[in-house]
């Protein structure tokens, strides 16, 4: 039995450490530790709840919008604000764009290099690569000359020793299986995706002024003006620009991303048997289709337990709790209890080893993440949870897309409960949203044509209209999974604030009953061919798309330097 330690896990946001016991080339046990502290809940205490979204979106430098949306929904829920229809459409577009861009970036720039060998691509035949590419898609950039240019470009990087993002990987590892030509095709699309994501996210600049950290959110609505007669507001010209951005995005997703996903997955179908995880799935649901208090959702919410895809359960917010038994926090009632977020506490108490250290004491506290539970059970959240719940709920387009992927790979539904299933679900969701976004743009255009330019509910803006005591929860499906902010308001100010984020659900440590979190459970049984180069561990961990900054964050309110990190 040997202890394999991966620290830091790279190609993620934030700091994550994985320790795994490997015996006979297989992971027998695993521990997930986030080594940074999040203090946003403490920063928000005593502040105006209408300002909370601006602070909360600083939790992350990537998925900023997701925390803004969850925060605003929590405050609106507490004070009873009801934004008008244009707000729903604007927010759906912003959220959808975030998800589509994030998923493409994850597939190509964060996860693909676990499956694609860059060095192998240098020996590819461009003519054969062209034939391969044209056999799976009619994407125009598929000529032998184009792929020869990409190969020579990457080769020049290698010869100059300027590998950039391609440095320090496990190139040549025997677990890589793609032929050189498939590797070259994937590298070419890796580079194209860099340009694609930069262009597509201009949608956020159009609707929110900038990306990241959009500036147009507002409790009760949005500050994005709508006026067909103004050049400085959303008008017919910006509607046309939005439709062009969405159309180009959909084209890349359907003709490049999905064909690449299916082609690469075909070489790794055994990974449908690895990374099963806890087998319980939670989704809040997202993209309201109407403006009622309990709107129908384009992607439905629900619970699946024990990999039983014959039914879903209705989500009950009262059943969410968090343990800190193996987390560097204290609860007033002791470490064995779990608290609902409305009663949640953020009392940091680091008791881990002093750096530098070789191993964590995993029998004690070993992470800055808490351990969320639903009905006292661990849950996996994210694209796989969403697509499973939608599939079982009968969402027509999701059923069509999921069945199409299963047929293309010639695997059964059980393949979804795996590392490969997470990769496939992310692609399915990307296509689903890329197809849907056009309808939201059309909805905005229709409202403008009907003379509805409303973007804010002003009836609840004044704190004097609020009850003396109020509580609210804001639920959102971030790209990485179910995200919720919970706020307690008293006398117009925030009294308590708790964020339960996707990476807390998935990357959290063991709870008071010793049950593993989803990362930890998914690693059990993972083959490890070379303990010095554990690429197989990265494949499963990356399939969740870790974002530890969402789980951990700290700032000194007086501006003092906390630490100094130097990279050489």
């Amino acid at each position: 039995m040997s202890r394999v330690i991966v620290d830091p896990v790279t190609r993620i946001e934030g700091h994550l450490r994985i320790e795994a016991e490997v015996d006979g080339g297989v992971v027998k046990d695993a521990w997930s530790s986030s080594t940074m502290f999040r203090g946003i809940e403490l920063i928000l205490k005593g502040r105006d709840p209408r300002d909370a979204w601006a602070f909360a979106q600083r939790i992350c430098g990537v998925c900023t919008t997701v925390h803004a949306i969850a925060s605003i929904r929590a405050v609106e829920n507490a004070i009873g604000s009801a934004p008008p229809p244009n707000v729903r459409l604007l927010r759906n577009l912003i959220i959808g764009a975030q998800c589509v861009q994030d998923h493409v970036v994850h597939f190509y720039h964060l996860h693909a290099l676990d499956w694609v060998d860059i060095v192998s691509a240098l020996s590819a035949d461009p003519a054969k690569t062209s034939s391969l590419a044209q056999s799976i898609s009619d994407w125009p950039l598929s000529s032998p000359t184009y792929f020869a240019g990409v190969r020579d470009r990457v080769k020049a990087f290698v010869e100059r020793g300027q590998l950039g993002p391609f440095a320090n990987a496990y190139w040549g590892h025997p677990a890589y299986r793609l032929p050189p030509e498939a590797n070259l095709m994937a590298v070419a699309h890796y580079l194209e995706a860099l340009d694609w994501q930069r262009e597509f996210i201009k949608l956020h600049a159009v609707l929110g002024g900038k990306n990241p950290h959009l500036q147009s959110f507002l409790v009760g609505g949005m500050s994005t003006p709508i006026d067909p007669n103004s050049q400085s507001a959303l008008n017919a010209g910006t509607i046309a620009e939005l439709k062009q951005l969405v159309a180009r995005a959909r084209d890349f997703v359907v003709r490049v991303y999905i064909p690449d996903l299916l082609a690469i997955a075909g070489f790794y179908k055994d990974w449908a048997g690895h990374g099963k995880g806890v087998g319980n799935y939670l989704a809040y649901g997202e993209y309201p289709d109407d403006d009622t208090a309990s709107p129908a959702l384009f992607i439905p919410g629900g619970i699946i337990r024990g990999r039983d895809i014959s039914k879903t359960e209705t989500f009950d917010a009262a059943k969410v709790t968090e343990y800190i038994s193996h987390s560097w926090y204290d609860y007033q009632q002791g470490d064995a209890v779990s608290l609902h977020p409305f009663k949640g506490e953020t009392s940091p108490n680091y008791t881990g080893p002093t750096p530098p250290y070789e191993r964590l004491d995993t029998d004690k506290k070993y992470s800055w993440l808490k351990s969320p539970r639903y009905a006292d059970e661990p849950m996996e959240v994210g694209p796989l949870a969403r697509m499973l719940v939608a599939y079982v709920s009968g969402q027509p387009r999701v059923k069509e897309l999921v069945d199409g992927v299963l047929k293309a790979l010639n695997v059964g539904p059980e393949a979804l409960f795996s590392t490969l299933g997470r990769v496939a679900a992310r692609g399915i969701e990307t296509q689903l949203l890329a197809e849907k976004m056009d309808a939201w743009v059309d909805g905005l255009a229709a409202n403008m044509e009907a003379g509805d330019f409303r973007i804010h509910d002003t009836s609840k803006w004044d704190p004097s209209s609020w009850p003396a005591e109020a509580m609210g929860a804001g639920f959102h499906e971030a790209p990485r999974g179910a995200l919720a902010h919970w706020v307690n308001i008293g006398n117009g100010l925030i009294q308590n604030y708790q964020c339960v984020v996707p990476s807390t659900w998935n990357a959290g440590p063991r709870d008071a009953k010793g049950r593993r979190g989803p990362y930890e459970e998914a690693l059990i049984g993972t083959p490890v061919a070379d303990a010095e180069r554990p690429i197989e561990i990265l494949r499963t961990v990356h399939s969740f798309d870790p974002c530890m900054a969402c789980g951990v964050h700290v700032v000194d309110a007086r501006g003092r330097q906390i630490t100094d990190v130097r990279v050489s």
Side-chain angles (χ1 to χ4, degrees), residues 346-414:
T346 304
S347 301
N349 181 23
Y350 181 74
T351 57
T354 302
Y357 56 85
E358 292 187 3
R359 290 173 52 166
L360 294 166
D361 187 348
T362 49
D363 290 334
K364 300 178 181 177
K365 295 172 181 278
Y366 61 89
S367 179
W368 278 113
L369 293 179
K370 296 180 180 178
S371 305
R373 295 292 182 264
Y374 179 81
D376 208 38
E377 293 187 46
M379 292 279 159
E380 177 176 337
V381 301
L384 178 57
R386 286 193 290 267
M387 293 302 97
L388 283 172
V389 170
Y391 184 78
V392 178
S393 300
Q395 211 278 8
R397 186 57 176 148
V398 171
K399 281 191 66 66
E400 187 177 10
L401 290 171
V402 169
D403 288 339
V405 167
L406 294 176
K407 182 179 180 181
L409 295 176
N410 193 28
V411 295
E414 68 281 357

Side-chain angles (χ1 to χ4, degrees), residues 426-470:
R426 190 169 283 108
I428 290 167
E429 183 174 59
T430 308
Q431 182 170 352
L432 180 76
L433 292 175
E435 293 174 350
K436 180 65 176 178
M437 290 182 71
D438 213 35
W440 294 326
V441 178
D442 288 343
L444 278 175
N447 285 352
M448 290 172 61
E449 188 174 350
D452 183 356
F453 309 142
R454 294 173 297 158
I455 56 170
H456 191 245
D457 168 22
T458 59
S459 66
K460 300 293 182 181
W461 180 252
D462 189 340
S464 66
S465 66
W466 304 349
E469 305 288 337

Side-chain angles (χ1 to χ4, degrees), residues 135-369:
S135 72
I136 63 173
S137 172
D138 60 354
W139 187 244
L141 296 176
S142 298
S143 70
T145 303
Y146 173 73
F147 286 116
V150 172
R151 185 195 59 185
D152 293 345
R153 181 180 171 191
V154 176
K155 190 175 182 180
F157 288 150
V158 173
E159 290 175 347
R160 291 198 302 268
Q162 297 175 328
L163 282 170
F166 302 145
N168 299 322
Y170 299 141
W171 309 132
H173 194 289
Y176 284 121
R177 295 184 192 154
L178 297 183
E181 285 70 30
N183 281 315
L184 178 58
M185 181 182 70
V187 171
H189 294 162
Y190 176 108
L191 297 173
E192 287 181 45
L194 283 171
D195 293 332
W196 172 89
Q197 60 89 24
R198 183 194 63 217
E199 289 298 310
F200 175 55
I201 210 59
K202 286 179 180 175
L203 187 146
H204 275 190
V206 172
L207 298 180
K210 63 192 284 283
N211 174 275
H213 299 118
L214 278 66
Q215 301 298 300
S216 58
F217 296 114
L218 198 62
V219 169
M222 298 290 289
S223 64
T224 307
I226 298 177
D227 184 349
N229 299 311
S230 172
Q231 291 301 309
S232 57
L234 191 63
N235 53 38
T238 47
I239 289 289
E241 183 177 4
L242 292 173
K243 289 187 74 71
Q244 285 185 353
L245 288 169
V246 170
R248 291 171 186 161
R250 184 172 60 245
D251 199 31
F252 184 84
V253 168
V254 173
R255 299 168 76 189
V256 180
Y257 176 18
I258 300 302
D260 281 354
L261 189 157
L262 294 174
I264 294 172
F267 288 92
Y268 292 101
K269 287 199 286 187
D270 58 320
W271 279 85
H274 302 309
K276 290 184 178 179
V278 296
N280 302 320
Y281 301 89
L282 178 151
Y284 296 146
E286 187 54 270
Y287 307 104
D289 277 337
D290 61 64
D291 301 287
T292 62
S294 298
L297 300 174
F298 177 60
I299 295 180
I303 305 292
I304 291 176
R305 300 189 200 231
R307 303 187 187 92
D308 180 359
I309 55 173
S310 68
K311 60 185 178 182
T312 64
E313 300 174 28
T314 301
F315 168 72
D316 180 354
K319 295 181 178 179
V320 175
T321 59
E322 289 188 299
Y323 283 101
I324 50 99
S325 312
H326 287 278
S327 311
W328 290 309
Y329 298 92
D330 289 334
Y331 278 168
Q332 293 182 19
Q333 300 176 52
D335 288 358
V337 303
S338 62
L339 297 180
H340 187 273
F342 275 140
K343 298 180 179 179
E345 300 173 9
T346 304
S347 301
N349 181 23
Y350 181 74
T351 57
T354 302
Y357 56 85
E358 292 187 3
R359 290 173 52 166
L360 294 166
D361 187 348
T362 49
D363 290 334
K364 300 178 181 177
K365 295 172 181 278
Y366 61 89
S367 179
W368 278 113
L369 293 179

